[in-house]
């Protein structure tokens, strides 16, 4: 029988928020234990630093530019490929629980899954889109009572702090994840199907606003919280980051407030870890664990106060937003050497990996590379990885308009509305110790991650790096030519 595939996906989880990847303040015992059974890829990159484009990429193996996914308001067309569609067509029982960000509001889930849990109740909403769906992008329930005035520093921090038990279980944001887990665990207890299982669980945490309940809120040691990276206003950073930093005013909010915000984010990560532990125990209890290939990862990361910015941005690629956790525990019988791998990998690789593990072949060309050969031994996987985002001038539908200054998202979204260089196209390549960003309408960036792991010094004008920049541009050009489009597998019947 074919193995089960389990995707357990966070929203906005940066790689360095996990304890086994070096965060002393983090408490992630379940994910740390998973890394001791499988592989944790320390250099995994998403292909776009916001939700929808990233998910449309990792569920297809295609890059965002291949199909034009560069904004959270443009979800998949019905004819576009999708791994869940493929698995369902090939006989898997596909259970989808939680966040969407893939299927448009006027489309049905029926082609994608057998069961869909929306995070509100335990009913199967696969064919019923008339009932209330969880918001694609969770809104801030209420800003802290002490922060009501938009002119007060900290208003745009997305900080909530400690949640009560009631707040933590309200089904509008924090409570969705509990409802999702409850529905999945109950389904596994009563599951009748003998088909192999593809289980796609997509949680909301640790997406802002930054708030969490006990025990996770209180168990983070604030004295171990790492200092944030310096303000973008003090560095040679692109105009998008500077515009957000200027409007969020976190430089006036104070170091202690930023430290507390970062602690609450780690508490949210710990809650995500605990919920994975609940799933793991259920899979063991139901006799499914050994026969399952388990993937834990995130769609993208979060600045969390680095560069005195919170949340994310569509066209900047510092490691806090582009480097994500990726852990894989193969099914029993698959050769594996448990470890933290340093190989460069992408989320586009997930589709190819699932295909090799299951023997299923997609009916379209995609660009991922199976990770299965890296399970047993450390080796180079990709020579380079990529991330991309932004828009050209005039693409007003990509601005995500509609938030005034009362919205906590106003600093980012108002900056995206500018027709200056702020929100315009950019592409990142990471190759070896170097990260190069080509920007269409403003100055490029180059970081030597060996000498400058915090990405503070833009070396693009340093003559000593001119040869490196030239070679990275050449590699990026090859990638763009190879992945620019695909010929749809729908040849006219006449031929």
């Amino acid at each position: 029988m074919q193995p089960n595939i389990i995707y357990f996906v966070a929203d906005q989880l940066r790689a360095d928020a996990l304890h086994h990847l070096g965060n002393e303040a983090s408490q992630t015992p379940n994910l740390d234990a998973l890394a001791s059974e499988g592989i944790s890829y320390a250099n995994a990159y998403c292909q776009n630093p916001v939700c929808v484009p990233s998910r449309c990429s990792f569920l297809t193996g295609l890059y965002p530019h291949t199909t034009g996914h560069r904004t959270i308001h443009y979800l998949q067309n019905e004819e576009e490929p999708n791994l869940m569609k493929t698995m369902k067509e090939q006989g898997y029982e596909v259970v989808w629980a939680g966040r969407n960000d893939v299927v448009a509001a006027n489309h049905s889930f029926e082609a994608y899954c057998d069961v869909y849990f929306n995070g509100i109740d335990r009913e199967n909403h696969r064919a019923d889109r008339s009932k209330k769906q969880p918001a694609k992008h969770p809104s801030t329930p209420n800003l802290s009572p002490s922060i009501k005035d938009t002119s007060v520093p900290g208003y745009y921090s997305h900080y909530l702090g400690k949640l009560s038990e009631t707040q933590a279980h309200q089904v509008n944001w924090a409570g969705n994840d509990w409802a999702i887990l409850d529905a999945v665990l109950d389904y596994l207890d009563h599951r009748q199907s003998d088909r192999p299982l593809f289980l796609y669980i997509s949680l909301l945490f640790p997406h802002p606003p930054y708030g969490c309940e006990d025990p996770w809120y209180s168990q983070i040691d604030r004295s171990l919280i790492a200092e944030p990276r310096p303000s973008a206003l003090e560095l040679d950073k692109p105009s998008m980051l500077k515009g957000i930093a200027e409007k969020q005013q976190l430089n006036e909010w104070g170091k202690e407030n930023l430290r507390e915000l970062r602690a609450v984010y780690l508490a949210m990560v710990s809650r995500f870890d605990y919920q994975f532990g609940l799933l793991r125990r259920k899979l063991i209890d139901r006799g499914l664990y050994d026969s399952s290939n388990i993937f834990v990862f995130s769609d993208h990361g979060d600045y969390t106060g680095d560069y005195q910015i919170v949340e994310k941005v569509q066209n900047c690629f510092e490691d806090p937003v582009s480097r994500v956790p990726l852990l894989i525990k193969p099914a029993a019988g698959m050769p594996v050497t448990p470890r933290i791998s340093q190989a460069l990998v992408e989320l586009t690789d997930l589709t190819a990996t699932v295909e090799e593990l299951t023997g299923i072949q997609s009916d379209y060309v995609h660009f991922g590379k199976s990770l299965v050969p890296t399970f047993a031994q450390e080796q180079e996987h990709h020579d380079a990885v990529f991330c991309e985002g932004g828009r050209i001038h005039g693409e007003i539908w990509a601005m995500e308009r509609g938030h005034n200054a009362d919205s906590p998202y106003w600093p980012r979204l108002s900056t995206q509305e500018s027709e200056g260089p702020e929100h315009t196209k950019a592409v990142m390549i990471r190759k070896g110790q170097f990260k190069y960003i080509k920007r269409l309408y403003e100055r490029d960036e180059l970081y030597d991650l060996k000498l400058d792991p915090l990405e503070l010094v833009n070396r693009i004008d340093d003559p000593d790096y001119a040869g490196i920049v030239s070679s990275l541009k050449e590699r990026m050009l090859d990638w763009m030519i190879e992945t620019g489009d695909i010929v749809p597998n729908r040849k006219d019947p006449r031929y």
Side-chain angles (χ1 to χ4, degrees), residues 176-187:
N176 283 76
D177 288 356
W178 292 116
I180 290 165
L181 258 294
D182 286 346
V184 169
L185 300 181
D186 182 69
Y187 184 80

Side-chain angles (χ1 to χ4, degrees), residues 421-474:
E422 291 90 344
H423 189 223
T424 50
K425 275 192 174 184
V427 179
M428 178 211 89
I429 177 173
R430 160 85 194 272
K431 190 174 189 291
Q433 72 191 67
F434 300 105
K435 180 185 286 188
Y436 167 67
I437 295 107
K438 172 64 180 175
R439 295 196 170 274
L440 189 59
Y441 297 118
E442 64 181 319
R443 191 159 160 265
D444 295 348
E445 299 169 78
L446 177 72
Y447 300 100
D448 186 333
L449 299 180
K450 184 176 181 179
L451 300 179
D452 179 28
L454 301 184
E455 300 166 87
L456 305 180
V457 181
N458 183 3
R459 302 176 188 271
I460 193 64
D461 296 325
D462 188 331
D464 291 340
Y465 289 86
I468 291 165
V469 172
S470 179
S471 67
L472 292 174
K473 285 184 176 181
E474 185 74 17

